[in-house]
Structure formats: structure tokens, C-alpha cells
DNA sequence: TAGGAGATTAGAATAGTTCTAAACTTAGAT
DNA sequence: ATCTAAGTTTAGAACTATTCTAATCTCCTA
């Protein structure tokens, strides 16, 4: 059970994705995509920048922000903000979905929309268009099956 | 149907509330409470400050922040943050409740917890402790009964 | 009616992000 | 291959919301 690489893409595939989204595939953008599209899990801009520094790339912080914003505008990334932090986090899961926040670690987990049912009985003035839901609680790794507390 | 004053309190009552919560009822704090507990609806610190300036009180911005934080710590106010804005908003509704955001106006409405049912079928690793829910959509004021679109 | 805790204040500091404007790179058009 | 214009990267300044600092002020109490 190794740290699942999610979806690994070759440099070629990343370049195609960028071009397909109308974004020039520069060296910096390809590198950042390698991280945010393949490796990272809900990273912040700061984390992207730190990763770049450690991985043979000196990319300015401005470029990190520029690139992340470009990817968001191109529809390859979503920008999210949660109440427990001031930092924007970037999400490569483009499905509509919710999140679970582990209070202890601060780690976020994707929750499929279908796993949650929300029904609201509101006055008819309220025309609902969408829900932002953050579930918070405790994430218990390594839980044995049928474990009593 | 006038702009319902929610719950109007006399200066005496405010002083009692403050003292009861272990907070010294200074002039500045009483004034700010008059606004946040009686008049305002999900205000930001900036709005509290602007209101003070217009209402015969020159209160420094630092005091506005100090007071709001004091009221939060004393349990008279809740501090909320939503994804559509960087500013903290203060909520005098101390019941657990959700919010509806009108996309057009940016206005927030309280939604009673009982009006919404949330049920999540998650893996047992996820031990749910609470939900942060923001419903967004369109608020249609002055809706006639049985209105077709 | 002093002493001292606590409150207020102006302004500096901070954090995350965006802006500015100059330098660099690239993609075409010759 | 060369030129040019458009697009990209960059360092650092600017910006916004909030907190901190440290001096002054207020108010309770002995
Ligand atoms: Mn953005
Ligand atoms: Mn606070
Ligand atoms: Zn996600
Ligand atoms: Zn509320």
C-alpha cells in the first residue's frame, strides 16, 4: 500500500493537456503540473514553491502564483478556501465533490458527491444552486475491520 | 415589514450581558455591542468600524478588533469565514446553524440546523464531528405565493 | 486619591497574494 | 537564420485583513 501516485502523467501528456487547454507549455508550467497534477494532494502555493526549490527548479514565487492562476482559468485546477486556514489550496480533482478535514493533522480528503445526501427545506425565496460542504472530524488510519473502541 | 431589529437591548441589558460574561463594560464595548448584538447582520470588522464612526463614536480600528475578539472569547459572538471573501464575519446567532449566500448581493442568511438534513456514508476511518455548510444560490425577495417562473 | 490592572490607541509588523515594469523566451513571419 | 511581437518570468513593491507593540488612558479598589 504505497503512497498512491494518483495519476502519473508523462511530460508529453502534460504538454498535451496544457496545449489542449490553450496554455503554452513552458518549462515552469510543466514542472508545476508534474507536482499539482500528479504528485500533490490539495497543495498550497507555498508548498508548490517549496517542492520546486527541492526539485532542480528555481521558480519564482510570482511564477508559482501566475501558473496556478493560469491553470485554474484553463480549467485544469480548482481553487478552494476553507475556514481553518487563510491559504488557498489547489485541487486537481475537477469532479464536483466535498471535503473531509482531519482536525488533528489538517489534512483534507476528497468525498465523492454521491456519498453525501443533503436535503434542505427552505422558504421558496431561497433558490439553491449549490452546496459547499466541509465535514470535519477525526481520521483514523489503520482501522481494523469491526473494531470496537 | 420593516427591517426587523432582531433583538433590541437596552444599554443596561448589554452591560449585564458583558459583566455576566466576565467582560468589563467599557464605553467602546457597549457601543460595539449595540451594533453587533442588536442592529447588524453578519458584519465585518470594517463595517463595525464604519458604523462607529457614523454613530458619535471615534473608536480605533485596533479596539474594534480587540473588542470583537473579546466578545468571541467570551462566547457572545461567533467568528466565521466563507470562501467568497477574505474578511471574517461576526455572527451573534450562537445556535449551531448553516448559512445561505445570495450570489448576487453577497448577503448571508441564517439557516436553522433543523431545516437541513445531511447524511454521509463514509468509510469508517472518517469519524464525523461536524459539518460546515454554505448553501449558495439566488435569494428572491418579494416572491408571490405559488409563483411560476 | 493612589496604585495597578485592564483598556485604548497609533502606528508598525505580518501573512498571503497581486501588481509593476523590466528582462527573457518563444512562435511565427520573413 | 533573423526579426519582431506576443507571451512569460522575475524581483521587489504594493495591497488587504489582521495582529502586535508599547505608550497612554481609565477605572476600580483600598
Ligand atoms: Mn486566483
Ligand atoms: Mn479572532
Ligand atoms: Zn478535493
Ligand atoms: Zn449566522
Amino acid at each position: 500500500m504505497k503512497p498512491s501516485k494518483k495519476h502519473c502523467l508523462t511530460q508529453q501528456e502534460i504538454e498535451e493537456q496544457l496545449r489542449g487547454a490553450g496554455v503554452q507549455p513552458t518549462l515552469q508550467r510543466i514542472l508545476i503540473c508534474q507536482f499539482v497534477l500528479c504528485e500533490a494532494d490539495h497543495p498550497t502555493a507555498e508548498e508548490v514553491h517549496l517542492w520546486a526549490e527541492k526539485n532542480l527548479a528555481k521558480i519564482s514565487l510570482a511564477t508559482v502564483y501566475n501558473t496556478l492562476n493560469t491553470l485554474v482559468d484553463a480549467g485544469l485546477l480548482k481553487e478552494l478556501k476553507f475556514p481553518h486556514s487563510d491559504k488557498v489550496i489547489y485541487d486537481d480533482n475537477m469532479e464536483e465533490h466535498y471535503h473531509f478535514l482531519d482536525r488533528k493533522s489538517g489534512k483534507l480528503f476528497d468525498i465523492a458527491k454521491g456519498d453525501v445526501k443533503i436535503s434542505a427545506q427552505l422558504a421558496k425565496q431561497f433558490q439553491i444552486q449549490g452546496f459547499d460542504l466541509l465535514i470535519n472530524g477525526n481520521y483514523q488510519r489503520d482501522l481494523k475491520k469491526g473494531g470496537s473502541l
Short mmCIF file of all heavy atoms in Angstrom, two decimals, chain D residues 7-26:
data_model
loop_
_atom_site.label_atom_id
_atom_site.label_comp_id
_atom_site.label_asym_id
_atom_site.label_seq_id
_atom_site.Cartn_x
_atom_site.Cartn_y
_atom_site.Cartn_z
P DG D 7 -0.41 37.46 -26.74
OP1 DG D 7 -1.60 36.61 -27.01
OP2 DG D 7 -0.53 38.78 -26.09
"O5'" DG D 7 0.62 36.59 -25.90
"C5'" DG D 7 1.16 35.39 -26.47
"C4'" DG D 7 2.18 34.83 -25.52
"O4'" DG D 7 3.34 35.70 -25.49
"C3'" DG D 7 1.69 34.75 -24.08
"O3'" DG D 7 2.07 33.47 -23.58
"C2'" DG D 7 2.41 35.88 -23.36
"C1'" DG D 7 3.71 35.94 -24.15
N9 DG D 7 4.45 37.20 -24.11
C8 DG D 7 3.98 38.46 -24.39
N7 DG D 7 4.91 39.39 -24.28
C5 DG D 7 6.05 38.68 -23.90
C6 DG D 7 7.37 39.14 -23.63
O6 DG D 7 7.80 40.28 -23.67
N1 DG D 7 8.20 38.08 -23.28
C2 DG D 7 7.83 36.77 -23.20
N2 DG D 7 8.77 35.91 -22.85
N3 DG D 7 6.61 36.33 -23.46
C4 DG D 7 5.77 37.34 -23.80
P DT D 8 1.81 32.99 -22.12
OP1 DT D 8 1.55 31.54 -22.15
OP2 DT D 8 0.85 33.93 -21.49
"O5'" DT D 8 3.23 33.22 -21.43
"C5'" DT D 8 4.34 32.43 -21.84
"C4'" DT D 8 5.52 32.69 -20.92
"O4'" DT D 8 5.96 34.05 -21.08
"C3'" DT D 8 5.22 32.52 -19.44
"O3'" DT D 8 6.16 31.55 -18.97
"C2'" DT D 8 5.42 33.90 -18.83
"C1'" DT D 8 6.34 34.58 -19.83
N1 DT D 8 6.25 36.06 -19.98
C2 DT D 8 7.39 36.82 -19.80
O2 DT D 8 8.47 36.36 -19.52
N3 DT D 8 7.21 38.17 -19.99
C4 DT D 8 6.04 38.81 -20.32
O4 DT D 8 6.01 40.04 -20.46
C5 DT D 8 4.89 37.97 -20.48
C7 DT D 8 3.56 38.57 -20.83
C6 DT D 8 5.04 36.63 -20.30
P DT D 9 6.19 31.10 -17.47
OP1 DT D 9 6.72 29.72 -17.48
OP2 DT D 9 4.90 31.41 -16.80
"O5'" DT D 9 7.31 32.06 -16.86
"C5'" DT D 9 8.65 31.87 -17.28
"C4'" DT D 9 9.52 32.91 -16.59
"O4'" DT D 9 9.06 34.22 -16.96
"C3'" DT D 9 9.48 32.87 -15.05
"O3'" DT D 9 10.81 32.62 -14.59
"C2'" DT D 9 8.96 34.25 -14.64
"C1'" DT D 9 9.23 35.10 -15.87
N1 DT D 9 8.29 36.24 -16.12
C2 DT D 9 8.79 37.51 -16.27
O2 DT D 9 9.98 37.78 -16.17
N3 DT D 9 7.86 38.48 -16.54
C4 DT D 9 6.49 38.29 -16.68
O4 DT D 9 5.74 39.24 -16.93
C5 DT D 9 6.03 36.95 -16.51
C7 DT D 9 4.57 36.63 -16.64
C6 DT D 9 6.95 35.99 -16.24
P DT D 10 11.06 32.30 -13.05
OP1 DT D 10 12.29 31.49 -12.95
OP2 DT D 10 9.80 31.83 -12.43
"O5'" DT D 10 11.38 33.75 -12.50
"C5'" DT D 10 12.46 34.47 -13.08
"C4'" DT D 10 12.51 35.89 -12.56
"O4'" DT D 10 11.44 36.67 -13.16
"C3'" DT D 10 12.28 35.99 -11.06
"O3'" DT D 10 13.55 36.23 -10.44
"C2'" DT D 10 11.33 37.18 -10.86
"C1'" DT D 10 11.09 37.70 -12.27
N1 DT D 10 9.68 38.04 -12.59
C2 DT D 10 9.35 39.30 -13.02
O2 DT D 10 10.17 40.20 -13.12
N3 DT D 10 8.04 39.50 -13.33
C4 DT D 10 7.02 38.57 -13.25
O4 DT D 10 5.87 38.85 -13.56
C5 DT D 10 7.42 37.25 -12.78
C7 DT D 10 6.40 36.16 -12.64
C6 DT D 10 8.73 37.05 -12.48
P DA D 11 13.76 36.07 -8.92
OP1 DA D 11 15.10 35.50 -8.68
OP2 DA D 11 12.57 35.44 -8.32
"O5'" DA D 11 13.77 37.61 -8.49
"C5'" DA D 11 14.76 38.47 -9.06
"C4'" DA D 11 14.50 39.88 -8.58
"O4'" DA D 11 13.23 40.35 -9.12
"C3'" DA D 11 14.39 40.03 -7.06
"O3'" DA D 11 15.12 41.19 -6.69
"C2'" DA D 11 12.89 40.14 -6.79
"C1'" DA D 11 12.35 40.75 -8.09
N9 DA D 11 11.02 40.26 -8.47
C8 DA D 11 10.51 39.00 -8.30
N7 DA D 11 9.29 38.85 -8.78
C5 DA D 11 8.99 40.09 -9.32
C6 DA D 11 7.85 40.58 -9.99
N6 DA D 11 6.76 39.84 -10.24
N1 DA D 11 7.88 41.86 -10.40
C2 DA D 11 8.96 42.60 -10.17
N3 DA D 11 10.10 42.25 -9.56
C4 DA D 11 10.04 40.96 -9.15
P DG D 12 15.30 41.58 -5.19
OP1 DG D 12 16.56 42.35 -5.10
OP2 DG D 12 15.07 40.42 -4.31
"O5'" DG D 12 14.10 42.61 -5.00
"C5'" DG D 12 14.01 43.72 -5.88
"C4'" DG D 12 12.65 44.35 -5.77
"O4'" DG D 12 11.63 43.47 -6.33
"C3'" DG D 12 12.20 44.64 -4.32
"O3'" DG D 12 11.68 45.95 -4.31
"C2'" DG D 12 11.12 43.59 -4.09
"C1'" DG D 12 10.52 43.52 -5.47
N9 DG D 12 9.65 42.38 -5.68
C8 DG D 12 9.82 41.08 -5.28
N7 DG D 12 8.83 40.31 -5.62
C5 DG D 12 7.95 41.15 -6.29
C6 DG D 12 6.70 40.88 -6.90
O6 DG D 12 6.09 39.82 -6.96
N1 DG D 12 6.15 42.03 -7.48
C2 DG D 12 6.74 43.27 -7.46
N2 DG D 12 6.08 44.25 -8.06
N3 DG D 12 7.91 43.53 -6.91
C4 DG D 12 8.45 42.42 -6.34
P DA D 13 11.50 46.73 -2.94
OP1 DA D 13 12.64 47.66 -2.84
OP2 DA D 13 11.19 45.77 -1.84
"O5'" DA D 13 10.18 47.58 -3.26
"C5'" DA D 13 10.04 48.14 -4.57
"C4'" DA D 13 8.57 48.35 -4.85
"O4'" DA D 13 7.94 47.08 -5.13
"C3'" DA D 13 7.80 48.96 -3.68
"O3'" DA D 13 6.92 49.95 -4.20
"C2'" DA D 13 7.09 47.77 -3.06
"C1'" DA D 13 6.82 46.88 -4.27
N9 DA D 13 6.74 45.45 -3.99
C8 DA D 13 7.66 44.68 -3.32
N7 DA D 13 7.33 43.40 -3.24
C5 DA D 13 6.12 43.34 -3.90
C6 DA D 13 5.24 42.27 -4.16
N6 DA D 13 5.48 41.01 -3.76
N1 DA D 13 4.10 42.54 -4.83
C2 DA D 13 3.87 43.80 -5.23
N3 DA D 13 4.63 44.89 -5.05
C4 DA D 13 5.75 44.58 -4.36
P DA D 14 5.91 50.68 -3.22
OP1 DA D 14 5.65 52.00 -3.82
OP2 DA D 14 6.39 50.53 -1.83
"O5'" DA D 14 4.57 49.81 -3.37
"C5'" DA D 14 3.98 49.68 -4.65
"C4'" DA D 14 2.66 48.95 -4.49
"O4'" DA D 14 2.90 47.57 -4.17
"C3'" DA D 14 1.76 49.50 -3.38
"O3'" DA D 14 0.47 49.65 -3.94
"C2'" DA D 14 1.83 48.44 -2.29
"C1'" DA D 14 2.07 47.17 -3.10
N9 DA D 14 2.77 46.08 -2.42
C8 DA D 14 3.93 46.15 -1.70
N7 DA D 14 4.34 44.98 -1.23
C5 DA D 14 3.39 44.09 -1.68
C6 DA D 14 3.25 42.70 -1.53
N6 DA D 14 4.11 41.93 -0.85
N1 DA D 14 2.17 42.11 -2.10
C2 DA D 14 1.31 42.88 -2.78
N3 DA D 14 1.34 44.20 -3.00
C4 DA D 14 2.42 44.75 -2.42
P DC D 15 -0.68 50.39 -3.20
OP1 DC D 15 -1.45 51.14 -4.21
OP2 DC D 15 -0.11 51.05 -2.01
"O5'" DC D 15 -1.58 49.18 -2.70
"C5'" DC D 15 -1.88 48.13 -3.61
"C4'" DC D 15 -2.56 46.99 -2.86
"O4'" DC D 15 -1.54 46.13 -2.32
"C3'" DC D 15 -3.41 47.45 -1.67
"O3'" DC D 15 -4.75 47.10 -1.94
"C2'" DC D 15 -2.85 46.70 -0.47
"C1'" DC D 15 -2.02 45.60 -1.11
N1 DC D 15 -0.82 45.17 -0.34
C2 DC D 15 -0.67 43.82 -0.07
O2 DC D 15 -1.54 43.03 -0.46
N3 DC D 15 0.42 43.40 0.62
C4 DC D 15 1.33 44.29 1.01
N4 DC D 15 2.40 43.84 1.68
C5 DC D 15 1.19 45.68 0.75
C6 DC D 15 0.11 46.08 0.07
P DT D 16 -5.89 47.65 -0.91
OP1 DT D 16 -7.05 47.99 -1.74
OP2 DT D 16 -5.27 48.62 0.03
"O5'" DT D 16 -6.26 46.36 -0.04
"C5'" DT D 16 -6.49 45.12 -0.69
"C4'" DT D 16 -6.80 44.10 0.39
"O4'" DT D 16 -5.56 43.62 0.97
"C3'" DT D 16 -7.62 44.67 1.55
"O3'" DT D 16 -8.58 43.69 1.91
"C2'" DT D 16 -6.58 44.91 2.63
"C1'" DT D 16 -5.59 43.79 2.36
N1 DT D 16 -4.18 44.03 2.78
C2 DT D 16 -3.42 42.96 3.19
O2 DT D 16 -3.85 41.82 3.24
N3 DT D 16 -2.13 43.26 3.53
C4 DT D 16 -1.53 44.50 3.51
O4 DT D 16 -0.37 44.65 3.84
C5 DT D 16 -2.39 45.59 3.07
C7 DT D 16 -1.84 46.99 3.02
C6 DT D 16 -3.65 45.30 2.73
P DA D 17 -9.74 44.09 2.90
OP1 DA D 17 -11.02 43.61 2.36
OP2 DA D 17 -9.57 45.49 3.32
"O5'" DA D 17 -9.37 43.18 4.15
"C5'" DA D 17 -9.37 41.77 3.99
"C4'" DA D 17 -8.73 41.18 5.21
"O4'" DA D 17 -7.36 41.60 5.26
"C3'" DA D 17 -9.37 41.62 6.54
"O3'" DA D 17 -9.71 40.45 7.28
"C2'" DA D 17 -8.29 42.47 7.21
"C1'" DA D 17 -7.01 41.95 6.58
N9 DA D 17 -5.93 42.91 6.50
C8 DA D 17 -6.00 44.22 6.11
N7 DA D 17 -4.84 44.86 6.14
C5 DA D 17 -3.96 43.89 6.58
C6 DA D 17 -2.58 43.92 6.83
N6 DA D 17 -1.82 45.01 6.66
N1 DA D 17 -2.00 42.78 7.26
C2 DA D 17 -2.75 41.70 7.42
N3 DA D 17 -4.06 41.54 7.23
C4 DA D 17 -4.60 42.69 6.80
P DT D 18 -10.36 40.57 8.71
OP1 DT D 18 -11.13 39.34 8.91
OP2 DT D 18 -11.01 41.89 8.89
"O5'" DT D 18 -9.09 40.53 9.67
"C5'" DT D 18 -8.24 39.39 9.60
"C4'" DT D 18 -6.99 39.65 10.40
"O4'" DT D 18 -6.28 40.78 9.88
"C3'" DT D 18 -7.24 39.98 11.87
"O3'" DT D 18 -6.84 38.84 12.63
"C2'" DT D 18 -6.38 41.21 12.14
"C1'" DT D 18 -5.48 41.28 10.92
N1 DT D 18 -5.01 42.64 10.53
C2 DT D 18 -3.67 42.91 10.62
O2 DT D 18 -2.85 42.10 10.98
N3 DT D 18 -3.31 44.19 10.26
C4 DT D 18 -4.16 45.19 9.82
O4 DT D 18 -3.72 46.31 9.53
C5 DT D 18 -5.55 44.83 9.75
C7 DT D 18 -6.57 45.84 9.29
C6 DT D 18 -5.91 43.60 10.10
P DT D 19 -6.85 38.82 14.20
OP1 DT D 19 -7.04 37.42 14.58
OP2 DT D 19 -7.72 39.89 14.70
"O5'" DT D 19 -5.34 39.23 14.56
"C5'" DT D 19 -4.29 38.45 14.04
"C4'" DT D 19 -2.97 39.04 14.50
"O4'" DT D 19 -2.81 40.36 13.94
"C3'" DT D 19 -2.85 39.22 16.01
"O3'" DT D 19 -1.59 38.67 16.36
"C2'" DT D 19 -2.92 40.74 16.21
"C1'" DT D 19 -2.31 41.23 14.92
N1 DT D 19 -2.68 42.60 14.46
C2 DT D 19 -1.69 43.51 14.15
O2 DT D 19 -0.51 43.25 14.27
N3 DT D 19 -2.13 44.73 13.70
C4 DT D 19 -3.44 45.12 13.52
O4 DT D 19 -3.70 46.25 13.10
C5 DT D 19 -4.43 44.14 13.86
C7 DT D 19 -5.89 44.45 13.70
C6 DT D 19 -4.01 42.94 14.31
P DC D 20 -1.08 38.57 17.87
OP1 DC D 20 -0.41 37.26 18.02
OP2 DC D 20 -2.20 38.96 18.76
"O5'" DC D 20 0.03 39.71 17.95
"C5'" DC D 20 1.01 39.75 16.94
"C4'" DC D 20 1.90 40.97 17.15
"O4'" DC D 20 1.21 42.15 16.68
"C3'" DC D 20 2.28 41.24 18.60
"O3'" DC D 20 3.68 41.46 18.61
"C2'" DC D 20 1.48 42.49 18.97
"C1'" DC D 20 1.33 43.19 17.64
N1 DC D 20 0.11 44.03 17.43
C2 DC D 20 0.26 45.37 17.03
O2 DC D 20 1.38 45.83 16.90
N3 DC D 20 -0.85 46.11 16.82
C4 DC D 20 -2.07 45.58 16.97
N4 DC D 20 -3.13 46.35 16.73
C5 DC D 20 -2.24 44.22 17.37
C6 DC D 20 -1.14 43.49 17.59
P DT D 21 4.47 41.62 20.01
OP1 DT D 21 5.76 40.96 19.80
OP2 DT D 21 3.56 41.23 21.11
"O5'" DT D 21 4.72 43.19 20.13
"C5'" DT D 21 5.13 43.90 18.98
"C4'" DT D 21 5.42 45.34 19.36
"O4'" DT D 21 4.23 46.14 19.11
"C3'" DT D 21 5.78 45.54 20.83
"O3'" DT D 21 6.80 46.50 20.89
"C2'" DT D 21 4.47 46.05 21.45
"C1'" DT D 21 3.88 46.85 20.28
N1 DT D 21 2.38 46.96 20.23
C2 DT D 21 1.82 48.13 19.77
O2 DT D 21 2.48 49.09 19.44
N3 DT D 21 0.46 48.13 19.72
C4 DT D 21 -0.39 47.10 20.07
O4 DT D 21 -1.60 47.22 19.97
C5 DT D 21 0.25 45.90 20.54
C7 DT D 21 -0.57 44.72 20.96
C6 DT D 21 1.60 45.88 20.60
P DA D 22 7.74 46.59 22.20
OP1 DA D 22 9.12 46.38 21.73
OP2 DA D 22 7.16 45.76 23.29
"O5'" DA D 22 7.59 48.12 22.62
"C5'" DA D 22 7.11 49.09 21.68
"C4'" DA D 22 6.39 50.19 22.40
"O4'" DA D 22 4.95 50.02 22.25
"C3'" DA D 22 6.61 50.27 23.90
"O3'" DA D 22 6.36 51.59 24.29
"C2'" DA D 22 5.51 49.37 24.42
"C1'" DA D 22 4.39 49.94 23.56
N9 DA D 22 3.15 49.17 23.55
C8 DA D 22 2.94 47.90 24.02
N7 DA D 22 1.70 47.50 23.89
C5 DA D 22 1.06 48.56 23.29
C6 DA D 22 -0.26 48.76 22.88
N6 DA D 22 -1.21 47.85 23.02
N1 DA D 22 -0.57 49.97 22.32
C2 DA D 22 0.39 50.88 22.19
N3 DA D 22 1.68 50.80 22.53
C4 DA D 22 1.95 49.61 23.07
P DA D 23 7.30 52.39 25.31
OP1 DA D 23 8.55 52.63 24.59
OP2 DA D 23 7.30 51.72 26.64
"O5'" DA D 23 6.53 53.78 25.43
"C5'" DA D 23 6.17 54.49 24.24
"C4'" DA D 23 4.77 55.04 24.36
"O4'" DA D 23 3.81 53.96 24.28
"C3'" DA D 23 4.51 55.75 25.70
"O3'" DA D 23 4.05 57.06 25.45
"C2'" DA D 23 3.47 54.88 26.39
"C1'" DA D 23 2.77 54.21 25.21
N9 DA D 23 2.13 52.94 25.55
C8 DA D 23 2.71 51.85 26.14
N7 DA D 23 1.88 50.85 26.32
C5 DA D 23 0.68 51.32 25.83
C6 DA D 23 -0.59 50.74 25.73
N6 DA D 23 -0.87 49.51 26.14
N1 DA D 23 -1.57 51.48 25.17
C2 DA D 23 -1.30 52.71 24.74
N3 DA D 23 -0.14 53.37 24.77
C4 DA D 23 0.82 52.61 25.33
P DT D 24 3.77 58.04 26.70
OP1 DT D 24 4.11 59.40 26.26
OP2 DT D 24 4.34 57.42 27.92
"O5'" DT D 24 2.17 57.95 26.83
"C5'" DT D 24 1.36 58.40 25.75
"C4'" DT D 24 -0.06 58.01 26.06
"O4'" DT D 24 -0.14 56.60 26.34
"C3'" DT D 24 -0.68 58.72 27.26
"O3'" DT D 24 -1.83 59.41 26.79
"C2'" DT D 24 -1.01 57.60 28.23
"C1'" DT D 24 -1.15 56.40 27.29
N1 DT D 24 -0.95 55.05 27.88
C2 DT D 24 -2.00 54.16 27.87
O2 DT D 24 -3.11 54.44 27.43
N3 DT D 24 -1.73 52.94 28.43
C4 DT D 24 -0.52 52.51 28.96
O4 DT D 24 -0.40 51.40 29.42
C5 DT D 24 0.55 53.49 28.92
C7 DT D 24 1.90 53.14 29.48
C6 DT D 24 0.29 54.70 28.40
P DC D 25 -2.60 60.44 27.75
OP1 DC D 25 -3.02 61.55 26.88
OP2 DC D 25 -1.79 60.65 28.97
"O5'" DC D 25 -3.89 59.61 28.16
"C5'" DC D 25 -4.67 59.03 27.12
"C4'" DC D 25 -5.64 58.04 27.75
"O4'" DC D 25 -4.93 56.90 28.24
"C3'" DC D 25 -6.43 58.61 28.93
"O3'" DC D 25 -7.79 58.51 28.59
"C2'" DC D 25 -6.00 57.75 30.12
"C1'" DC D 25 -5.55 56.46 29.42
N1 DC D 25 -4.55 55.63 30.14
C2 DC D 25 -4.86 54.31 30.48
O2 DC D 25 -5.98 53.87 30.20
N3 DC D 25 -3.92 53.56 31.11
C4 DC D 25 -2.72 54.07 31.39
N4 DC D 25 -1.84 53.28 32.00
C5 DC D 25 -2.37 55.41 31.05
C6 DC D 25 -3.31 56.16 30.43
P DT D 26 -8.96 59.14 29.48
OP1 DT D 26 -9.90 59.69 28.50
OP2 DT D 26 -8.33 59.99 30.53
"O5'" DT D 26 -9.65 57.92 30.22
"C5'" DT D 26 -9.59 56.64 29.63
"C4'" DT D 26 -10.30 55.63 30.51
"O4'" DT D 26 -9.32 54.78 31.16
"C3'" DT D 26 -11.18 56.19 31.61
"O3'" DT D 26 -12.35 55.42 31.57
"C2'" DT D 26 -10.33 56.03 32.88
"C1'" DT D 26 -9.50 54.78 32.55
N1 DT D 26 -8.11 54.70 33.09
C2 DT D 26 -7.66 53.48 33.57
O2 DT D 26 -8.35 52.48 33.59
N3 DT D 26 -6.37 53.49 34.02
C4 DT D 26 -5.50 54.56 34.05
O4 DT D 26 -4.36 54.44 34.47
C5 DT D 26 -6.03 55.80 33.54
C7 DT D 26 -5.17 57.03 33.52
C6 DT D 26 -7.31 55.82 33.09
#
